[in-house]
Amino acid sequence: MTDPRDTDPRDTDPRDTDPRDTDPRDTDPRDTDPREEGRRRDVPTATYRLQVTAEHTLDDAASLAGYLADLGVSHAYTSPLLRAAAGSTHGYDTVDHAHVDESRGGREGFDRLVAALHEHGLGLVLDLVPNHMGVGDPAEAPWWWDVLQHGRDSVHAAAFDVDWDAGAGRVRIPVLGSADDVEKLEVVDGPDGSELRYHDHRFPIAPGTGEGSPQEVHDRQHYELVDWRRADRDLNYRRFFAINTLAGLRVEDPEVFRATHELVLRLVADGAVDGLRIDHPDGLASPAGYLDRLAEATGGRWTVVEKILEPGEDLPESWRTAGTTGYDALAEVDDVLVDPAGEPALTALDTELSGAPVDYAELVRRSKREVTDGILGSEVARLVRVIGELPGVDVDTEEEALAELLASFPVYRTYLPDGREHLDATVAAVRERRPDLTAAVDALHPVLSRAGTEAATRFEQTSGPVMAKGVEDSAYYRWARFVVLNEVGGDPARFGSTVAQFHEAQRRRAERRPRSMTTLTTHDTKRSEDTRARLAVLAEVPDEWAQLVRGWLERHPLPDRPLAHLMWQNLVGAWPLSRDRAHAYAEKAAREAGTSTTWTDPDEEFEAALHALVDAAYDDPTTNAEVERFVARIAPSGRSNSLSQKLLQLTVPGVPDVYQGTELWDLSLVDPDNRRPVDHDLRRRLLARLDEGWVPPVDAEGAAKLLVVSRTLRTRREHREWFAGYEPVAATGSAAGHVVAFDRGSGEEGGAVTVATRLPVGLADAGGWGDTALQLPNGAWRDLLTGDRFVSDAAGLPVDPLLERLPVALLVRN
């Protein structure tokens, strides 16, 4: 392929028409691309997420192409591949957009991956990070190095979102252990001239400023090295969330867009990249504007955005995207498998352990206020500077009002004029709760309502990080009533859903975003799908669970009882897991919660007690035996939930993604636990046995899940017409409430019919399926999972024989 730096991708771009003339979701210009003869070039039928790292390289990914084709996906879907910070395990800290990361295999490895995928008829979806750049080591990031060396005069100064005036023309970089550490700076000879060093941190020296003591040299630079503790209040560059080593990019600038997307656009134009996943669009000044520009530059390629929607929230209609990366679908699938009847008992247990009823909405608001007043204080202070003085409002009151508005915002952000109702509702809520802020809030309201202004845009860019850090990374670890619900895109206060609500959500998906991605596990989920599926069983046995938890807490007390409850749930959900994995999770969960220990100020005494609790699960004979017995009791029902969960996700409207390794059981916890190496050789061997006709039992090996995944994905790839509509299938009989069924066909012929079991403990307690039947058209039906054949008559198709071998079925007319 041609080096993308030798040509401008716009010079030979085959886009002769404005892609806005047609909706890119309706047609795909790649369908007739002669370079892609023999390959499926339209919307993927399914993707398989691969975490490409220095340990699992592009060549390792290429070696999986045949397996992925056999599994049934149409596209591999990789983590970010552009050059990232040294040692990066995820790739979201891009330091140079002009190169494929060499530690992952470089451009040559990328070309080999694409060739292998094409050989097997597969495409590639690439994860792209437009919002920020890694700056932890300035010497690795040429643009950032140049900005630090030349300040506002740098050719790259406009690329970064820096408030130069706030720093008196200097970028504040929080790396010093204390203010006194400025005395530890050294001037040394570097590869390209003199550098300023602080331990192993390297910084450039502006031309003509290298004379004198290291402190005098530092004082002349376009940057100021400051105590890391000042990051909460005094930074003057936009970050990704509160991560000081990720600096925000101004991709709304056409030149910045061109420079940061040149390589990726060339890969798209050359047919190497078929679709894009856009990381964190909420950080962009104008997500809609960015997606417009991207659609024009790619000819409308299939693109999804990592957008977290609150329940009931929709993507703006104007966004030129197929949809989200699927957290909304994850919540819908999870919720229908949760028994609402378990809520009172689990709420009572939580109240007992917390010492009082938990007001989750207030917990969220308080958690978000900790963020506005703490780690994102620099962003709030910048908002105050941008807005300036308000008539009759002092600056402290203005800042307090802004913090309250951010903490009370019900969604991640608005996209004015889209979402204006959320801003209006938040203003009303703050006025009612804080009458002392009425004047300030009323003055802020029109300022924050003006679409496209710097004040409104920066408020939008700030509300998302406040939500993410306050909810996902704080409240989710503080409220342990039922951790299944504490998932990205979910609502812990909403305890399950009805089958009717599930069907309504899928109808909306089919109507609004039928080519959106669906998922159950990602690199960012708090627990893997199978861990959540097992823990969902707790809602069916809440009294038994409560009794166990009380015993464990009495035997192994922890001052933070809600955190102890969170730990016991996760231990049971992922059991058996290694002791090291359990300890690593315990430390992360406790520090994220921030109630008894923190990342910046660990409480050694508390953490010792926490680790003792973890050890007790392994070393205390009584406790260990109880854990083992309880896991053995709920694991079969958890596997039933897992298969139901997976079949639902793979067959609802949308493009299903399978996270690496989850085609077998995967009992993982939050990252980095969910990024452990995957044994693909085992999966190959089991898939070969399945292809010989083996229908495995639903046991600990997990081959039953591989059967469901492979047969469903192959069917979607080979028979798209069977997945063109959505119609609920009614069930009648004594156990009708334990089945979820729908027909994905359109018209009289119908299509693939999904049948899944829900609430398996209650089903068993009631004596099984009994007279339950599906109301399907008369005639012969075949289950694509087992190969068994069934007949539907005037009474329907009986569920009992249908689900005798597996708790799920995928039916087609025989």
Side-chain angles (χ1 to χ4, degrees), residues 753 776-777 779-782 788-790 792 797 811-814:
V753 174
L776 290 170
W781 294 82
R782 178 167 53 93
D788 295 340
R789 288 172 166 78
F790 305 91
S792 179
L797 192 157
L811 300 173
V812 294
R813 290 178 183 272
N814 189 28

Side-chain angles (χ1 to χ4, degrees), residues 3 5 52-60 80-88 91 93-110 112 140 142 263:
D3 190 320
R5 294 167 293 178
V52 181
T53 67
E55 288 70 42
H56 186 82
T57 66
L58 288 161
D59 283 316
D60 293 319
L81 298 179
L82 302 186
R83 183 184 290 167
S88 173
D93 43 6
T94 304
V95 297
D96 188 338
H97 294 82
H99 300 85
V100 176
D101 191 83
E102 290 81 0
S103 72
R104 289 164 167 78
R107 181 59 185 269
E108 294 79 11
F110 176 83
R112 289 191 291 271
E140 288 185 322
L263 172 57

Side-chain angles (χ1 to χ4, degrees), residues 198-218:
Y198 173 67
H199 297 303
D200 57 350
H201 296 277
R202 303 169 55 196
F203 302 96
I205 293 176
T209 66
E211 298 299 321
S213 70
Q215 294 71 35
E216 290 171 332
V217 171
H218 169 257

Side-chain angles (χ1 to χ4, degrees), residues 335 338-354 356-361 363 475-486 491-496 527 535-536 538-539 542 545-546 549 561-570:
D335 284 352
V338 168
D339 188 355
E343 181 173 11
L346 289 175
T347 300
L349 175 62
D350 180 68
T351 300
E352 174 188 331
L353 300 182
S354 301
V358 174
D359 182 337
Y360 180 65
L363 171 63
Y476 277 7
Y477 290 93
R478 295 178 179 181
W479 197 33
R481 178 180 70 159
F482 186 47
V483 299
V484 174
L485 306 176
N486 299 20
D491 179 4
R494 176 180 171 178
F495 206 103
R527 278 156 288 275
L535 287 173
L538 300 186
W545 173 249
V549 169
R561 288 159 64 83
L563 182 67
H565 188 205
L566 179 139
M567 278 307 307
W568 286 116
Q569 288 179 76
N570 283 280

Side-chain angles (χ1 to χ4, degrees), residues 111-155:
D111 290 345
R112 289 191 291 271
L113 168 63
V114 171
L117 293 174
H118 288 190
E119 180 183 351
H120 291 278
L122 303 178
L124 175 64
V125 175
L126 177 64
D127 199 337
L128 187 60
V129 188
N131 173 67
H132 53 267
M133 178 181 283
V135 296
D137 182 352
E140 288 185 322
W143 289 13
W144 188 244
W145 183 271
D146 195 74
V147 168
L148 297 186
Q149 187 169 37
H150 299 288
R152 292 183 177 186
D153 293 331
S154 167
V155 294

Side-chain angles (χ1 to χ4, degrees), residues 205-408:
I205 293 176
T209 66
E211 298 299 321
S213 70
Q215 294 71 35
E216 290 171 332
V217 171
H218 169 257
D219 290 342
R220 300 188 192 107
Q221 301 313 306
H222 298 288
Y223 54 87
E224 179 186 6
L225 307 183
V226 301
D227 185 335
W228 65 269
R229 297 168 186 83
R230 291 180 62 184
D232 287 0
R233 291 297 305 175
D234 297 333
L235 293 197
N236 59 336
Y237 63 93
R238 181 171 61 85
R239 303 166 288 172
F240 171 72
F241 293 175
I243 302 177
N244 302 329
T245 56
L246 296 177
L249 290 170
R250 296 185 61 254
V251 76
E252 65 271 17
D253 183 320
E255 284 305 307
V256 176
F257 177 92
R258 184 198 63 77
T260 55
H261 288 67
E262 185 175 16
L263 172 57
V264 169
L265 293 180
R266 171 50 52 201
L267 296 176
V268 170
D270 285 346
V273 170
D274 307 302
L276 296 170
R277 180 259 197 198
I278 304 303
D279 181 66
H280 189 48
D282 279 352
L284 305 178
S286 172
Y290 171 82
L291 291 170
D292 277 346
R293 184 173 285 121
L294 188 67
E296 291 166 8
T298 65
R301 297 297 171 97
W302 183 79
T303 298
V304 291
V305 292
E306 188 223 12
K307 167 60 186 167
I308 299 168
L309 298 169
E310 292 299 291
E313 182 186 9
D314 289 316
L315 282 179
E317 285 291 337
S318 60
W319 283 19
R320 295 174 69 181
T321 175
T324 74
T325 52
Y327 288 117
D328 41 294
L330 181 157
E332 292 159 5
V333 171
D334 277 6
D335 284 352
V336 78
L337 300 180
V338 168
D339 188 355
E343 181 173 11
L346 289 175
T347 300
L349 175 62
D350 180 68
T351 300
E352 174 188 331
L353 300 182
S354 301
V358 174
D359 182 337
Y360 180 65
E362 178 58 18
L363 171 63
V364 166
R365 191 196 67 80
R366 289 198 311 269
S367 299
K368 291 169 73 175
R369 272 309 301 258
E370 289 180 20
V371 172
T372 62
D373 300 349
I375 58 176
L376 288 178
S378 290
E379 282 68 22
V380 177
R382 185 171 183 180
L383 259 174
V384 173
R385 293 195 300 271
V386 168
I387 294 170
E389 294 184 8
L390 295 171
V393 179
D394 65 77
V395 67
D396 290 339
T397 304
E398 178 184 345
E399 184 167 339
E400 175 70 10
L402 276 169
E404 275 296 308
L405 289 170
L406 289 165
S408 304

Side-chain angles (χ1 to χ4, degrees), residues 695-779:
V695 178
V698 184
D699 60 11
E701 187 174 39
K705 189 178 184 188
L706 183 61
L707 175 72
V708 170
V709 172
S710 60
R711 274 41 186 173
T712 305
L713 293 182
R714 292 175 183 180
T715 302
R716 290 201 66 145
R717 187 175 63 190
E718 295 161 10
H719 295 281
R720 294 189 181 210
E721 72 279 7
W722 289 354
F723 297 88
Y726 188 89
E727 188 65 34
V729 172
T732 58
S734 57
H738 291 276
V739 64
V740 185
F742 50 84
D743 187 340
R744 284 302 319 278
S746 60
E748 294 183 1
E749 291 302 312
V753 174
T754 290
V755 185
T757 301
R758 65 188 292 264
L759 314 184
V761 175
L763 176 65
D765 290 346
W769 291 110
D771 61 350
T772 307
L774 298 173
Q775 299 307 299
L776 290 170
N778 291 352

